Amino acid sequence: MDGMSSGLVGEIVREPEYLSEIDAGPVVSSFPLRSRAARQHTLGNAISCTGVGLHSGQPVTLTLRPAAEDAGVLFCRTDLGQTFPAGYDSVIDTRLCTVVAPGSCPEARVATVEHLMAALSACGIDNVLVELDGPEVPVLDGSSAPFVFLIDCAGRVEQSAPRGVIEVLKSVRVEHEGAFAELRPSHGAGLSLSLSIAFEAPAIGCQAYTMRLSEQGFRNELADCRTFTLRSEIEALRQAGLARGGSLDNAVVVDGGSVLNPAGLRRPDEFVRHKMLDAIGDLALAGHPLRGVFIGHCSGHGLNNRLLRALLADRSAWRLSGSAHLEQAAA
């Protein structure tokens, strides 16, 4: 999620120098969504888990099921009998998490989809049916690691259809009160990301992280990084109907210069790494993996979604490649 906090310091004087180096260097390991010749994948078996929603506090059971070629990621609210595709244009709310819903039935919303979407994208799962009997994906430990575990347990099966890739052809940028998010063309394969954050809380402060995305890199460097919040904002969030399921078991809680979780942080820069995890999940709502460079400063779910909308609204800024029928459909 988006840090469960509004304590960002958004002002920036100039873009950090490291941003110019983002598209340099070798890919550490091949990312299954990158190759133009790659084929689509789904799960080998269905698998389920039960948890609570981070914001709703409601218990919910999630089941991941294999899906047919070209199905994409589908959400099904089994309690309401509503199934709809996960897409950037199905996002209806971005307050502290990403919420999707079918246009014809907004009450069939599904909140906090970003951690699951990041895991599905990074693990190369193109087609999957996500069943939920409640309004929110369970938060589990507040990271993507439990979803990666579920995917590994279910197994991955190659399908015959080729995988499409959205290639960024020109830079697109969105800004808001000193924060920004941008997509640029890439000289390499796959998606590179660079993100910086700035918080007044000394325990967070200013952090930056840059990587060229790979499946192994996601598993090793990002997947276990948890959502976080400021202790001073928890009561206000709950009065607003948010964070009702939050606890030290599923979020990092910061109080000034202190981290209140007894076990501390999983990584010194867990905060910015989680923000990057969120960005990967939000960008996965493009419907196909991206080939390009993502750069952000203090960006959250709202800016990430605005960026996708701006990119895909400009037909000269991207192309869909990977198979003849996909390219024809995008023309």
Side-chain angles (χ1 to χ4, degrees):
M1 68 173 280
D2 203 10
M4 248 203 314
S5 173
S6 60
L8 282 165
V9 179
E11 186 175 352
I12 185 170
V13 176
R14 63 183 177 86
E15 295 181 16
E17 293 179 359
Y18 69 86
L19 295 182
S20 64
E21 303 298 325
I22 183 174
D23 205 28
V27 178
V28 176
S29 77
S30 61
F31 185 51
L33 304 185
R34 289 179 174 171
S35 171
R36 290 179 60 127
R39 298 191 181 277
Q40 297 175 24
H41 287 75
T42 189
L43 298 177
N45 298 282
I47 193 164
S48 300
C49 70
T50 300
V52 298
L54 178 61
H55 291 299
S56 66
Q58 297 181 21
V60 60
T61 296
L62 172 145
T63 301
L64 303 177
R65 298 188 184 279
E69 295 175 356
D70 297 320
V73 178
L74 300 171
F75 283 102
C76 175
R77 283 286 302 273
T78 58
D79 54 329
L80 300 178
Q82 289 284 332
T83 301
F84 62 97
Y88 70 97
D89 53 355
S90 66
V91 173
I92 62 168
D93 195 351
T94 54
R95 292 179 304 157
L96 304 182
C97 70
T98 296
V99 183
V100 294
S104 59
C105 187
E107 61 270 25
R109 54 189 276 139
V110 177
T112 320
V113 302
E114 56 271 17
H115 304 166
L116 172 61
M117 290 298 301
L120 292 171
S121 174
C123 292
I125 302 299
D126 303 280
N127 306 306
V128 61
L129 176 63
V130 182
E131 295 181 345
L132 299 134
D133 62 0
E136 190 172 8
V137 174
V139 65
L140 303 177
D141 78 342
S143 77
S144 287
F147 299 115
V148 172
F149 175 76
L150 290 174
I151 292 166
D152 287 345
C153 290
R156 197 176 76 168
V157 173
E158 184 177 85
Q159 298 171 294
S160 16
R163 173 182 288 141
V165 176
I166 295 174
E167 298 183 50
V168 179
L169 302 180
K170 70 179 186 181
S171 295
V172 176
R173 179 181 176 112
V174 294
E175 302 179 6
H176 180 68
E177 296 181 350
F180 70 83
E182 182 173 347
L183 280 167
R184 299 176 182 175
S186 173
H187 299 297
L191 181 65
S192 299
L193 304 101
S194 188
L195 185 64
S196 58
I197 61 172
F199 278 76
E200 293 180 350
I204 306 174
C206 297
Q207 298 183 356
Y209 194 73
T210 297
M211 73 182 298
R212 181 171 291 178
L213 189 59
S214 68
E215 179 179 358
Q216 201 60 43
F218 180 85
R219 288 172 177 269
N220 293 343
E221 306 298 332
L222 300 182
D224 66 347
C225 295
R226 298 160 293 174
T227 190
F228 58 95
T229 190
L230 305 180
R231 181 180 183 179
S232 60
E233 297 183 347
I234 292 176
E235 186 55 36
L237 288 171
R238 288 179 173 164
Q239 288 181 1
L242 300 168
R244 291 179 174 176
S247 72
L248 292 177
D249 293 326
N250 55 40
V252 177
V253 180
V254 171
D255 187 10
S258 302
V259 171
L260 301 185
N261 302 64
L265 297 174
R266 291 176 175 173
R267 304 170 190 274
D269 58 351
E270 185 171 0
F271 305 103
V272 70
R273 291 183 191 230
H274 181 80
K275 286 284 196 176
M276 186 171 285
L277 181 159
D278 278 346
I280 292 167
D282 289 337
L283 294 176
L285 290 169
H288 299 281
L290 293 167
R291 178 185 176 187
V293 178
F294 170 83
I295 299 171
H297 174 69
C298 294
S299 67
H301 301 302
L303 273 182
N304 295 340
N305 185 248
R306 280 181 53 199
L307 180 62
L308 278 186
R309 290 176 184 266
L311 173 75
L312 297 172
D314 184 351
R315 194 58 191 85
S316 68
W318 60 279
R319 68 182 173 196
L320 183 59
S321 62
S323 72
H325 80 273
L326 284 174
E327 291 171 355
Q328 290 169 3

